[in-house]
Amino acid sequence: MNISERKKQILKSIVENYIETAEPVGSRAISEGLGLSSATIRNEMAEMTSLGLLEQPHTSAGRIPTSLGYRIYVNELMRSHMLTISETEEINKSLKIRMEQLDKAISDAGRLVSELTNYPAYALAAVNTPVTVRRFDFIQVDPRTLIVVLMLSNSTVKNRLMNLTRPLDEGFLLKLGAVFNANFTNCPESEMDSTLISSVERATGDIYGISASIASFAIRALSETENKKAFVAGASHILEHPEYRDWEKAHRLMNYLSESENVFRLPVPEDNSDVKILIGSENVAEELKDSSVVVAKYELGAGVEGLLGVVGPTRMDYAKVAASLSYIAKGMKALVDGKENHLPVLGNEKSADE
Amino acid sequence: MNISERKKQILKSIVENYIETAEPVGSRAISEGLGLSSATIRNEMAEMTSLGLLEQPHTSAGRIPTSLGYRIYVNELMRSHMLTISETEEINKSLKIRMEQLDKAISDAGRLVSELTNYPAYALAAVNTPVTVRRFDFIQVDPRTLIVVLMLSNSTVKNRLMNLTRPLDEGFLLKLGAVFNANFTNCPESEMDSTLISSVERATGDIYGISASIASFAIRALSETENKKAFVAGASHILEHPEYRDWEKAHRLMNYLSESENVFRLPVPEDNSDVKILIGSENVAEELKDSSVVVAKYELGAGVEGLLGVVGPTRMDYAKVAASLSYIAKGMKALVDGKENHLPVLGNEKSADE
DNA sequence: CTTAGCACTCTCGACGTAAGAGTGCTAGCA
DNA sequence: TGCTAGCACTCTTACGTCGAGAGTGCTAAG
């Protein structure tokens, strides 16, 4: 979109004023800041309205940005936000999560984002390489109790306690280990079918009826690991924003976010970009047409990558939200690399301002 | 509270009518149902208002029950609700959860309750016996990688992958196992202090610097297991109820529920009772003074017990909510006992009606 | 003790009005 | 030609009035 520099400055003032006050902004409100008379600004506003960058709730109200208006602001005018020292300190402190429990780490990251931005946040993780069992181990606790330990190809370990109906013979345990390690390791979930299982059952001469349980445990462990996980935090924050004071709007959005299938369908940043921003009508889901989504990608090594996002009104503090998300997403990566004391510091590298 | 049988019937009609319509109920509305003229009912209503069982939003409106009015309804008048066949089937189906992951089972139960009742639900679990490590095992994956497997006294198993800076000597692993099993088993978290750890470090002659990691892993595993867990599901349901159409009320309650410390402080049923109901002002927390809480206790064996509760407006369908909670709480117990096809069927055992 | 009747009170929605905000347009000025 | 002061116009919002409707409390009669 090619518009004059002056129009851009006016648009910028309108967007920032509107983000702050949540009220349609009139020509007078920004005339001083720009050193132009309100009449001049009115003329420009009228043109921008017909260009589709601004709209009026009604004839005698000020202007508010359209999705397109926000889009231009985000692409060309937004000055990248600088997190305060105390904010980065808070993030750094919170990020020192115990990473053993992947789920918890991810949901905590979501919570952190939500608290920081005061918008509902979501976090999701997916494993993008097929996972296999790398190794089976069996620990005999007592004659009728067995612990099955699986080491998976992504370096996670799963275990399960199993009870037997009759005392276990030691030789059987060795055979069980040999057969499972020979047949099931490096075998993706999809190939673990019933014929494989029954052939293993024969090979071990299983009189305890336990091979099938072990196999199904392995299958479940793999599918659990490969399954996507979604967490939503701070959904109630949307009630703080005037655009959701209407309970039906709030309810619709909260309902949408409480279904994890919907969360999985939220947008994904392009590979080359840091943060993706979808504004209002740019969203495909009907329920999000008057909300915006800001999302960042993070990696956790071991083939795990995921998204960290924020949902809020189109009148969102995009600069701050994008900065926070980007910082936290990078921080998660750094955490895994063990450099938790060297978190990146976001600067003005993306400034489009003078 | 000693009031005439007729007053009770009137109170019952008022409560049930109000639960259904959410509008103050006038004398005319219930006169036919009881075979009394509206004037008579008005007289009774006036007395019950001065007794504190009813109140009027304003002079010319109908009556609504006070907390005390609901209390009498719940204690003496409520007819225990019969779940429909399809409801019990839905519950039974949903309850066949994979119980391996305690957390998931509990949060799923909360979700189920919320879906069934259309109120926000919470689920929490606590281990009420001290947990210890019953057994340490070490699996060597490769010279520099080790899996530590802990079997805890409550029959859960925890594991952790550890990387070493130098290749592992086999004899060391055996010694490690011997020392840990001798010193740390049956030892509650509180006694695993630094002096014990350093004495173990000496005993193993640990040149890998790994004893401390194992010990701290064990400590964390115990504290994680003993820690209470809280889940809240379906918080957005409150927006469906007219008493929370005011966004500030809704926000206050949702905020309250999003803090897990608050959830832990919610009421606990007495030992002899099935379900505990706290109505409006009976709640201690300021944020719940105009809401009600219904809570049931469940047990999961292995010393795990927890609460399953519902939060909603005082105008709540107590009968149905109590029935659902009680059914599900019993169902969870039955599940663990392996009787998943013999879930209890709730009847009218608590009817106080004719 | 119950109930029909009635006057009274209070809420709620409709309506009209005035104030205020912001616009678009016109005309004058650099 | 571009900027701006001024003004008439439009639309929202708040406010007050008014009448309808709902429900009550009281009284008096059965």
Side-chain angles (χ1 to χ4, degrees), chain B residues 331-353:
Chain B
M332 290 180 76
K333 169 85 173 127
L335 244 192
V336 175
D337 297 346
K339 308 181 287 206
E340 62 221 70
N341 293 317
H342 308 289
L343 287 170
V345 173
L346 265 202
N348 283 357
E349 70 263 28
K350 207 175 125 191
S351 170
D353 211 88

Side-chain angles (χ1 to χ4, degrees), chain A residues 249-279:
Chain A
K249 273 194 180 172
H251 188 232
R252 211 172 320 131
L253 181 56
M254 290 182 85
N255 255 4
Y256 186 78
L257 291 178
S258 68
E259 293 283 336
S260 49
E261 302 105 68
N262 293 332
V263 179
F264 292 135
R265 270 194 234 106
L266 287 167
V268 178
E270 278 90 36
D271 283 335
N272 51 10
S273 74
D274 187 23
V275 173
K276 175 152 189 150
I277 299 181
L278 275 146
I279 301 164

Side-chain angles (χ1 to χ4, degrees), chain A residues 40-335:
Chain A
T40 310
I41 292 180
R42 275 202 291 282
N43 288 331
E44 296 281 37
M45 280 177 161
E47 288 181 45
M48 288 161 86
T49 305
S50 62
L51 285 172
L53 307 184
L54 298 176
E55 62 185 354
Q56 286 178 290
H58 51 83
T59 351
S60 81
R63 303 299 210 285
I64 61 178
T66 62
S67 293
L68 188 55
Y70 281 119
R71 169 54 58 199
I72 292 181
Y73 171 75
V74 165
N75 285 358
E76 308 183 32
L77 304 167
M78 185 170 77
R79 187 200 175 97
S80 126
H81 180 87
M82 192 77 168
L83 297 178
T84 65
I85 305 279
S86 69
E87 280 169 332
T88 57
E89 274 171 0
E90 191 197 329
I91 296 175
N92 291 357
K93 213 169 63 187
S94 306
L95 270 183
K96 290 183 183 166
I97 322 164
R98 311 229 166 273
M99 295 299 287
E100 290 121 49
Q101 289 178 287
L102 187 64
D103 290 12
K104 188 161 188 316
I106 293 165
S107 70
D108 279 355
R111 220 186 322 270
L112 177 61
V113 171
S114 176
E115 271 170 29
L116 209 69
T117 59
N118 281 319
Y119 296 107
Y122 64 94
L124 42 93
V127 178
N128 49 16
T129 51
V131 183
T132 59
V133 179
R134 199 149 78 193
R135 172 185 170 123
F136 286 81
D137 285 282
F138 301 100
I139 299 172
Q140 187 168 2
V141 177
D142 61 50
R144 289 170 181 240
T145 314
L146 189 65
I147 299 175
V148 182
V149 180
L150 308 185
M151 180 169 174
L152 306 186
S153 57
N154 67 346
S155 293
T156 60
V157 183
K158 298 266 176 180
N159 65 59
R160 174 103 142 88
L161 197 71
M162 295 196 174
N163 291 308
L164 304 176
T165 48
R166 59 159 103 173
L168 194 66
D169 176 74
E170 262 193 48
F172 175 72
L173 206 56
L174 288 172
K175 195 189 269 181
L176 207 59
V179 172
F180 268 95
N181 276 302
N183 289 280
F184 279 110
T185 50
N186 304 318
C187 165
E189 189 201 338
S190 55
E191 290 172 25
M192 290 192 178
D193 53 13
S194 54
T195 63
L196 181 56
I197 294 173
S198 53
S199 78
V200 166
E201 221 153 4
R202 268 195 309 280
T204 55
D206 183 0
I207 53 168
Y208 307 90
I210 201 177
S211 308
S213 318
I214 297 172
S216 77
F217 165 54
I219 291 171
R220 196 153 57 240
L222 292 180
S223 79
E224 257 168 28
T225 310
E226 281 186 332
N227 263 345
K228 293 174 171 181
K229 289 157 187 138
F231 304 90
V232 174
S236 66
H237 277 305
I238 61 169
L239 292 171
E240 289 157 19
H241 303 282
E243 25 276 283
Y244 299 100
R245 293 281 153 88
D246 175 18
W247 72 272
E248 282 191 295
K249 273 194 180 172
H251 188 232
R252 211 172 320 131
L253 181 56
M254 290 182 85
N255 255 4
Y256 186 78
L257 291 178
S258 68
E259 293 283 336
S260 49
E261 302 105 68
N262 293 332
V263 179
F264 292 135
R265 270 194 234 106
L266 287 167
V268 178
E270 278 90 36
D271 283 335
N272 51 10
S273 74
D274 187 23
V275 173
K276 175 152 189 150
I277 299 181
L278 275 146
I279 301 164
S281 53
E282 296 172 3
N283 284 291
V284 282
E286 201 53 50
E287 290 87 345
L288 298 174
K289 288 282 190 207
D290 50 353
S291 302
S292 286
V293 177
V294 184
V295 56
K297 197 188 286 184
Y298 67 84
E299 286 172 42
L300 281 186
V304 180
E305 66 174 29
L307 303 176
L308 210 51
V310 158
V311 179
T314 48
R315 182 189 62 82
M316 189 194 271
D317 190 344
Y318 294 100
K320 177 169 182 197
V321 170
S324 306
L325 274 179
S326 164
Y327 186 81
I328 293 175
K330 283 182 191 145
M332 290 179 78
K333 169 87 173 127
L335 243 194

